[in-house]
């Protein structure tokens, strides 16, 4: 079982908080799509023997591609990979791209497996969208969702961001309830974080943007968890909520340590023992691919690094960390020892399964690092 991720590194405008790799110039779009198609050929042995079950177009903004470009990429994947048993094909889309014509075009990709749209809503309030410098407004977000549903895309997920200084707790609650009212079966929700070298970071330092308040983020995370649980959504990963049976298969496979191939600039791949990541530069990527070389760096993971990745990701899921997964007994003992030093209000242990409590979910990364195995 394996997945393919395709990174489309273009956006209409830069959201202030974003630190993903993308370009706001579309001049290289055609060349880039051509290079991704070549990379599919060049990387065809990476997942040898595996069955491809999921494909995910992320970015950047994949909805900026023409349907013919998406189709050409998919055609090549299906031609090059002999074993495909598709369970999920997701496309990330921004609301302002989802016009009636675009949705109708995208619907034509259903025959190629497209069955899920991930819509970058972020908030249903214009003040928040302006603060984040999103390219759409609230009305466009709601229209895009309805159009997608009318075109038969019932498997929708939306992103919502909390902790924005412009967002009161009441508006955050209204955002969540708006998602319920629209019948969205899956929601990914993250706290606004100020990443280094982003416009948000620069604007806050210059006093042009209000800073982010951690107490507000923490409160709004609690509101999120409470409301989701009350409305029947599983918090199957700290930032991901779904109605029963609507978990994202592609992302869940990342968290379960399954193999995946990443295509396109800055995309990461994992083969079970090593990680590699493509160069985050469109020009260099296109040039190198056209010369027959995938431009990547690689890191071979030691047993301790593999164990730590498993701790980091599994602890964030509702399935928790299974101590029986550690082949090296000493690793298991080190974790048990670290747990004994930890505040018992932060985690629960049932046999060999360790899970975070609601309080612990506020400190997931910190707790994971306390459990990390020393090299
Ligand atoms: S649309 Fe997405 S990838 Fe592009 S700048 Fe905004 S957050 Fe980043």
């Amino acid at each position: 079982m394996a997945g393919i991720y395709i990174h489309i590194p273009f956006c209409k405008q830069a959201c202030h908080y974003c630190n993903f790799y993308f370009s706001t110039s579309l001049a290289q779009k055609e060349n880039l799509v051509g290079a991704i198609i070549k990379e599919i050929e060049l990387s065809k042995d990476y997942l040898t023997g595996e069955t491809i079950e999921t494909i995910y177009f992320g970015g950047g903004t994949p909805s900026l591609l023409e349907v013919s470009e998406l189709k050409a990429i998919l055609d090549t994947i299906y031609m090059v990979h002999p074993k495909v048993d598709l369970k999920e094909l997701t496309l990330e889309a921004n609301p302002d791209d989802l016009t009636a014509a675009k949705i109708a075009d995208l619907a034509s990709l259903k025959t190629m497996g497209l069955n899920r749209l991930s819509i970058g809503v972020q908030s249903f309030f214009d003040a928040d969208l302006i603060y984040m410098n999103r390219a759409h407004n609230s009305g466009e977000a709601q229209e895009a969702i309805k159009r997608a549903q009318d075109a038969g895309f019932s498997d929708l997920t939306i992103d919502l961001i909390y902790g924005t200084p412009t967002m009161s707790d009441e508006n955050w609650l209204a955002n969540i309830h708006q998602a319920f009212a629209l019948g969205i079966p899956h929601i990914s929700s993250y706290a606004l974080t100020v990443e280094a070298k982003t416009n948000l970071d620069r604007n806050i330092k210059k006093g042009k943007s209000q800073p982010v308040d951690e107490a507000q983020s923490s409160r709004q995370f609690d509101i999120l968890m409470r409301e989701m649980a009350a409305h029947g959504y599983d918090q199957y990963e700290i930032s991901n909520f779904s109605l029963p049976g609507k978990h994202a298969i592609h992302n869940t496979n990342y968290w379960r340590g399954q193999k995946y191939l990443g295509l396109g600039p800055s995309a990461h791949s994992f083969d079970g023992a090593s990680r590699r990541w493509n160069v985050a530069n469109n020009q260099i990527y296109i040039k190198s691919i056209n010369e027959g070389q995938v431009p990547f760096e690689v890191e071979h993971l030691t047993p301790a690094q593999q164990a730590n990745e498993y701790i980091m990701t599994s602890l964030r899921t509702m399935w928790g960390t299974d101590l029986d997964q550690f082949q090296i007994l000493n690793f298991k003992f080190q974790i048990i020892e670290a747990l004994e030093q930890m505040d018992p209000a932060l985690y629960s242990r049932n046999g060999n399964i360790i899970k975070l409590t609601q309080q612990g979910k506020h400190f997931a990364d910190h707790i994971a690092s306390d459990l990390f195995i020393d090299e």
Side-chain angles (χ1 to χ4, degrees):
M1 175 196 329
I4 293 182
Y5 171 82
I6 305 124
H7 189 81
I8 306 301
F10 300 106
C11 293
K12 271 187 198 156
Q13 66 185 49
C15 302
H16 282 168
Y17 56 89
C18 182
N19 68 345
F20 291 136
Y21 177 66
F22 64 91
S23 163
T24 49
S25 161
L26 299 189
Q28 291 294 332
K29 183 161 76 86
E30 207 175 305
N31 290 337
L32 196 280
V33 171
I36 287 175
I37 286 170
K38 285 194 186 117
E39 191 191 356
I40 297 169
E41 297 272 0
L42 291 170
S43 299
K44 70 178 183 339
D45 296 331
Y46 191 80
L47 296 174
T48 298
E50 297 289 336
T51 300
I52 309 300
E53 291 195 346
T54 61
I55 297 176
Y56 191 103
F57 284 93
T61 313
S63 51
L64 286 176
L65 291 197
E66 303 300 326
V67 165
S68 58
E69 293 171 321
L70 294 166
K71 189 171 177 307
I73 293 171
L74 289 172
D75 271 335
T76 313
I77 290 174
Y78 296 150
M79 197 176 67
V80 166
H81 289 278
K83 284 162 64 178
V84 177
D85 180 13
L86 210 58
K87 305 260 186 299
E88 183 184 272
L89 199 172
T90 307
L91 179 100
E92 287 183 356
N94 275 343
D96 43 308
D97 290 332
L98 293 179
T99 59
K102 185 71 172 216
I103 289 274
D105 271 2
L106 288 175
S108 72
L109 287 178
K110 285 185 194 170
T111 54
M112 299 190 78
L114 181 63
N115 59 3
R116 194 164 178 269
L117 294 180
S118 171
I119 305 181
V121 171
Q122 317 308 351
S123 174
F124 291 106
F125 288 92
D126 286 338
D128 305 325
L129 297 170
I130 291 166
Y131 177 90
M132 293 186 255
N133 200 38
R134 296 289 305 183
H136 67 275
N137 60 37
S138 167
E140 284 174 313
Q142 300 189 47
E143 281 160 24
I145 290 168
K146 286 183 185 141
R147 273 193 205 112
Q149 289 168 328
D150 288 347
F153 287 107
S154 57
D155 227 345
L156 290 184
T157 176
I158 64 169
D159 292 342
L160 290 176
I161 290 181
Y162 56 90
T164 315
T166 42
M167 183 187 284
S168 63
D169 290 355
E170 291 69 32
N171 282 4
W172 176 230
L173 189 61
N175 260 333
I176 299 168
H177 283 197
Q178 182 63 35
F180 297 151
L182 288 164
I184 308 291
H186 185 287
I187 296 167
S188 298
S189 187
Y190 300 89
L192 181 69
T193 50
V194 185
E195 304 290 349
K197 296 183 188 158
T198 57
N199 283 340
L200 184 59
D201 184 33
R202 283 185 283 273
N203 288 348
I204 290 173
K205 283 180 178 147
K206 284 184 200 156
K208 283 189 189 169
S209 286
Q210 280 175 267
V212 172
D213 173 9
E214 279 187 26
Q216 176 198 339
S217 287
S218 173
R219 225 173 36 241
Q220 293 184 348
F221 183 40
D222 276 331
I223 294 172
L224 176 70
M225 289 194 278
R226 183 192 74 208
E227 291 300 311
M228 290 293 168
H231 288 80
Y233 287 70
D234 291 330
Q235 186 177 15
Y236 70 103
E237 197 267 350
I238 283 189
S239 304
N240 285 277
F241 302 82
S242 77
L243 291 174
K246 294 291 184 183
H247 301 170
I249 304 170
H250 184 84
N251 290 349
T252 302
N253 286 345
Y254 288 157
W255 304 320
R256 290 188 153 167
Q258 303 292 337
K259 297 176 186 179
Y260 56 90
L261 168 66
L263 302 164
S266 81
H268 285 232
S269 305
F270 177 63
D271 67 0
S274 69
R275 288 198 174 284
R276 70 183 208 187
W277 53 95
N278 287 352
V279 65
N281 181 300
N282 287 354
Q283 299 283 5
I284 298 173
Y285 171 81
I286 292 167
K287 183 167 182 293
S288 178
I289 293 282
N290 286 338
E291 289 166 356
Q293 289 293 328
V294 180
F296 63 81
E297 288 182 64
V298 65
E299 179 185 30
H300 296 278
L301 302 175
T302 62
Q305 284 172 324
Q306 287 184 38
N308 290 342
E309 288 212 354
Y310 171 67
I311 294 168
M312 186 81 183
T313 50
S314 61
L315 205 53
R316 294 176 61 89
T317 68
M318 71 178 190
W319 303 283
T321 301
D322 181 354
L323 295 177
D324 281 340
Q325 291 291 319
F326 298 98
Q327 312 283 332
I328 301 173
L329 264 189
N330 188 31
F331 286 2
K332 184 170 167 176
F333 295 143
Q334 275 190 52
I335 294 169
I336 292 170
E337 217 174 283
L339 283 170
E340 282 165 359
Q341 317 276 324
M342 199 173 281
D343 180 348
L346 299 176
Y347 72 92
S348 67
R349 180 172 172 192
N350 185 359
N352 277 323
I353 305 292
I354 312 299
K355 292 183 187 176
L356 296 177
T357 58
Q358 176 144 342
Q359 194 185 336
K361 286 175 185 165
H362 285 266
F363 309 102
D365 292 348
H366 188 81
I367 294 171
S369 73
D370 281 351
L371 299 181
F372 278 174
I373 307 295
D374 295 328
E375 286 285 349

